[in-house]
Amino acid sequence: VQLVESGGGLVQAGGSLRLSCAASGFTFDDYAIGWFRQAPGKEREAISCISTGTGDGRTYYKDSVEGRFTISSDNAKNTVYLQMTSLKPEDTAVYYCAADLKEGSSFYCLGSDYWGQGTQVTVSA
């Protein structure tokens, strides 16, 4: 099982980045995939999740990123993306993707099952 993040980097405030999370080794459609972040000295937080699968696509966004970040999935590529716009210095963190097994029609954004290694996002003022 692997979740591999990419796309992090250094960007100025107001800029954009797109993160990718490539999944392998498990049945992609059975899971919700989420993006989490952890800034220095702070707890890890869930910022956005998507319930993958054909015809699904339900999403969750943390209030602080809704309207600026967009999560999407390409089921053919087993990949989830996080398009981040209007970035702020407070968005600086290590960003991780994680997977949660769906239960029936419900999906969760907890990072209960699998995790990637993380990618650094730094937003300069």
Side-chain angles (χ1 to χ4, degrees):
V1 172
Q2 274 195 314
L3 290 171
V4 180
E5 303 97 334
S6 61
L10 173 64
V11 64
Q12 288 187 330
S16 300
L17 282 175
R18 188 177 81 154
L19 305 182
S20 299
C21 173
S24 62
F26 61 92
T27 304
F28 190 71
D29 289 4
D30 289 346
Y31 286 77
I33 306 294
W35 287 97
F36 299 72
R37 68 185 181 189
Q38 187 165 23
K42 295 188 177 181
E43 292 188 354
R44 187 171 59 201
E45 60 180 358
I47 57 172
S48 185
C49 290
I50 187 166
S51 180
T52 61
T54 303
D56 199 332
R58 291 169 290 166
T59 57
Y60 158 80
Y61 293 97
K62 184 178 175 63
D63 286 349
S64 60
V65 306
E66 190 157 21
R68 299 189 298 123
F69 293 6
T70 303
I71 193 169
S72 62
S73 69
D74 184 334
N75 294 341
K77 296 182 178 180
N78 284 7
T79 300
V80 170
Y81 304 97
L82 186 68
Q83 179 68 49
M84 305 186 293
T85 63
S86 302
L87 283 161
K88 305 174 182 180
E90 51 264 42
D91 293 317
T92 295
V94 178
Y95 283 68
Y96 301 88
C97 66
D100 286 272
L101 181 65
K102 290 187 278 188
E103 294 183 7
S105 62
S106 299
F107 79 100
Y108 304 97
C109 197
L110 301 173
S112 298
D113 293 293
Y114 308 121
W115 284 86
Q117 82 288 350
T119 186
Q120 177 70 46
V121 172
T122 303
V123 185
S124 62

